[in-house]
Amino acid sequence: MRRRPGAGIRRARLVPGPGFDERARITDRAIPAAAIESDVGAGSAVFWRDGFDCRPGRARRATDRAVDVGFFESERRRSREYVRRAARYPDDWFARLVGIENKPDLGTPGDLLRQLRLDASLAVFDEVILTTESYVTGAHLNRIPEEVGVWRFDPDTGDREVVRDPRPLSPDSTGVEPVEYHSLHTDVALVSPAEKRTARLRLAERAYGKGWRAYDLPGCANARVDADGRPVCAHFGRVVDPGSECGADCPAFEAADPPELDRDGLRESRTGWIADPPGAVRRQSGLDRFV
């Protein structure tokens, strides 16, 4: 593939599957896809490089990360590092992946339509949804791929209007990736179901490890946090987007420390995610390989 499947999607929503609780007990952080797909098992430890079918540099990074988060256990044998899995990885821990493209202003689409066409033809996600603050016209809907759902969201009230439901995509089938556009034709590449499975795994782990309410809170005296962990501006009296609405350019900005938020505690109380699960205490187990 010329580009990573799913690139450009602002957010991936993960729908838990039957094995979600088992995944949550392993570690509260992301596990590298290369480690999950490696030949490193839970039985006898293997020399770290023999467990991977990829470049040594990538294998080394995946091994270090997997040991750090507690997915691999490490031991030294005559100055060589051997690893084994500390836990079984559940294949069914997520049921669906929903790609959400956030575009507040449809009047300045940029590369939005090309990205949405890529999302629909590649079909790495089970569904793709466009969210916007703009009034959605029939002309907008005609330009947006019919597989893409459209939501209109009012940040002032939190109200959501479903303008169009998304159509299910086919993550298990071969995807089509446009790679070069010409005036009369487009060159494409076929993406195998195996490549898409790896991409889905990478996206799911990234979404799990990145966390819930993962944005930085504004360093402003007017910034507050509501019961859902969302940033609220006391001056404007509404939820704000810190990335686009907050900062020195805002007329109400007053530099201050960001408001406090127990993000992990809130996430644990609202979702099936577990902060610092029993499996995560193993994350220091590989440090002795440097002694």
Side-chain angles (χ1 to χ4, degrees), residues 13 32 71 139 143 181 190 224 241 256:
R13 176 173 175 262
F71 185 58
R143 289 194 294 267
Y181 294 88
L190 299 182
R224 305 287 188 271
D241 176 10

Side-chain angles (χ1 to χ4, degrees), residues 32-82:
I36 296 167
E37 296 182 330
S38 71
D39 291 330
V40 177
S44 300
V46 299
F47 178 52
W48 69 270
R49 197 162 52 200
D50 292 344
F52 293 85
D53 183 19
C54 62
R55 295 186 301 274
R58 185 183 179 213
R60 181 70 267 175
R61 290 190 297 272
T63 298
D64 290 343
R65 180 63 179 169
V67 171
D68 183 48
V69 303
F71 185 58
F72 281 1
E73 292 179 317
S74 173
E75 62 184 68
R76 306 277 310 176
R77 299 180 187 174
R78 297 181 180 177
S79 76
R80 287 160 62 97
E81 182 183 7
Y82 285 72

Side-chain angles (χ1 to χ4, degrees), residues 29-283:
R29 295 186 286 174
I31 302 171
I36 296 167
E37 296 182 330
S38 71
D39 291 330
V40 177
S44 300
V46 299
F47 178 52
W48 69 270
R49 197 162 52 200
D50 292 344
F52 293 85
D53 183 19
C54 62
R55 295 186 301 274
R58 185 183 179 213
R60 181 70 267 175
R61 290 190 297 272
T63 298
D64 290 343
R65 180 63 179 169
V67 171
D68 183 48
V69 303
F71 185 58
F72 281 1
E73 292 179 317
S74 173
E75 62 184 68
R76 306 277 310 176
R77 299 180 187 174
R78 297 181 180 177
S79 76
R80 287 160 62 97
E81 182 183 7
Y82 285 72
V83 292
R84 65 165 59 87
R85 290 195 182 191
R88 187 189 78 86
Y89 187 84
D91 294 329
D92 58 351
W93 73 274
F94 65 94
R96 291 189 303 126
L97 286 177
V98 180
I100 300 177
E101 180 73 38
N102 182 26
K103 187 65 176 177
D105 183 8
L106 293 182
T108 55
D111 291 331
L112 171 66
L113 297 180
R114 181 173 293 186
Q115 176 63 53
L116 292 176
R117 286 193 290 268
L118 170 65
D119 295 332
S121 63
L122 197 55
V124 167
F125 294 96
D126 296 272
E127 294 176 349
V128 174
I129 296 171
L130 167 66
T131 65
T132 183
E133 298 174 29
S134 295
Y135 179 75
V136 182
T137 67
H140 288 139
L141 292 178
N142 287 336
R143 289 194 294 267
I144 297 168
E146 60 185 11
E147 297 91 343
V148 176
V150 181
W151 292 352
R152 191 181 181 207
F153 179 75
D154 187 337
D156 294 333
T157 63
D159 292 339
R160 184 190 70 186
E161 175 191 0
V162 178
V163 179
R164 184 171 73 190
D165 286 319
R167 294 187 181 182
L169 301 177
S170 303
D172 295 330
S173 64
T174 298
V176 177
E177 179 184 18
V179 293
E180 191 169 345
Y181 294 88
H182 304 275
S183 58
L184 298 178
H185 72 279
T186 300
D187 295 333
V188 301
L190 299 182
V191 182
S192 71
E195 290 178 287
K196 289 169 60 173
R197 281 193 296 272
T198 298
R200 284 169 60 82
L201 182 61
R202 188 181 297 117
L203 285 164
E205 283 292 337
R206 185 183 303 137
Y208 188 87
K210 185 177 181 181
W212 194 65
R213 306 284 192 251
Y215 38 70
D216 292 330
L217 293 172
C220 176
N222 287 304
R224 305 287 188 271
V225 180
D226 67 10
D228 291 326
R230 299 180 301 173
V232 175
C233 178
H235 179 83
F236 294 107
R238 61 176 176 83
V239 174
V240 292
D241 176 10
S244 63
E245 297 184 276
C246 300
D249 292 338
C250 174
F253 178 75
E254 297 180 36
D257 292 334
E260 293 186 1
L261 171 62
D262 180 8
R263 187 175 279 109
D264 287 353
L266 186 60
R267 184 185 184 191
E268 190 171 38
S269 68
R270 297 293 185 89
T271 72
W273 179 81
I274 302 173
D276 196 21
V281 300
R282 300 172 181 266
R283 65 178 56 157

